[in-house]
Amino acid sequence: MEKQLLKKRFDELLTEYDLSGQIERLYQKAVDSGAIDVDRESGDDYRLAKIIWYAIILKLREESVPYHPDNRKEAQNLSLFL
């Protein structure tokens, strides 16, 4: 595969998955869930924002895991280089 074709396919995936929209929906779901006490936080740091961000990344990861074990292994190996 040529790098240009790979870039095109990757861009198509980004468009298809609408990550900004997904992240915003998951953020709102986290805030509305009652699982976190927003009012208790002082707001002096990014603690709660980072917790939400990490939870969103975990959810997106869970939804994006390749089905085939070989592809999962290759993705895990690639992540070592990022």
Side-chain angles (χ1 to χ4, degrees), residues 52-76:
I52 294 169
W53 177 247
Y54 182 63
I56 289 170
I57 290 173
L58 289 176
K59 182 67 173 173
L60 292 174
R61 177 185 178 266
E62 175 185 300
E63 293 175 355
S64 302
V65 173
Y67 293 115
H68 196 279
D70 290 343
N71 294 344
R72 283 194 302 271
K73 185 175 182 178
E74 190 169 347
Q76 288 171 342

Side-chain angles (χ1 to χ4, degrees), residues 4-39:
Q4 287 177 315
L5 179 57
L6 175 59
K7 176 67 171 137
K8 180 179 182 270
R9 292 212 173 134
F10 190 79
D11 288 344
E12 289 169 353
L13 278 178
L14 287 177
T15 301
E16 179 182 333
Y17 286 112
D18 181 28
L19 284 179
S20 293
Q22 279 188 315
I23 290 169
E24 185 61 37
R25 283 188 295 280
L26 290 170
Y27 167 81
Q28 199 58 53
K29 189 173 181 179
V31 172
D32 294 342
S33 71
I36 53 175
D37 188 357
V38 177
D39 296 329

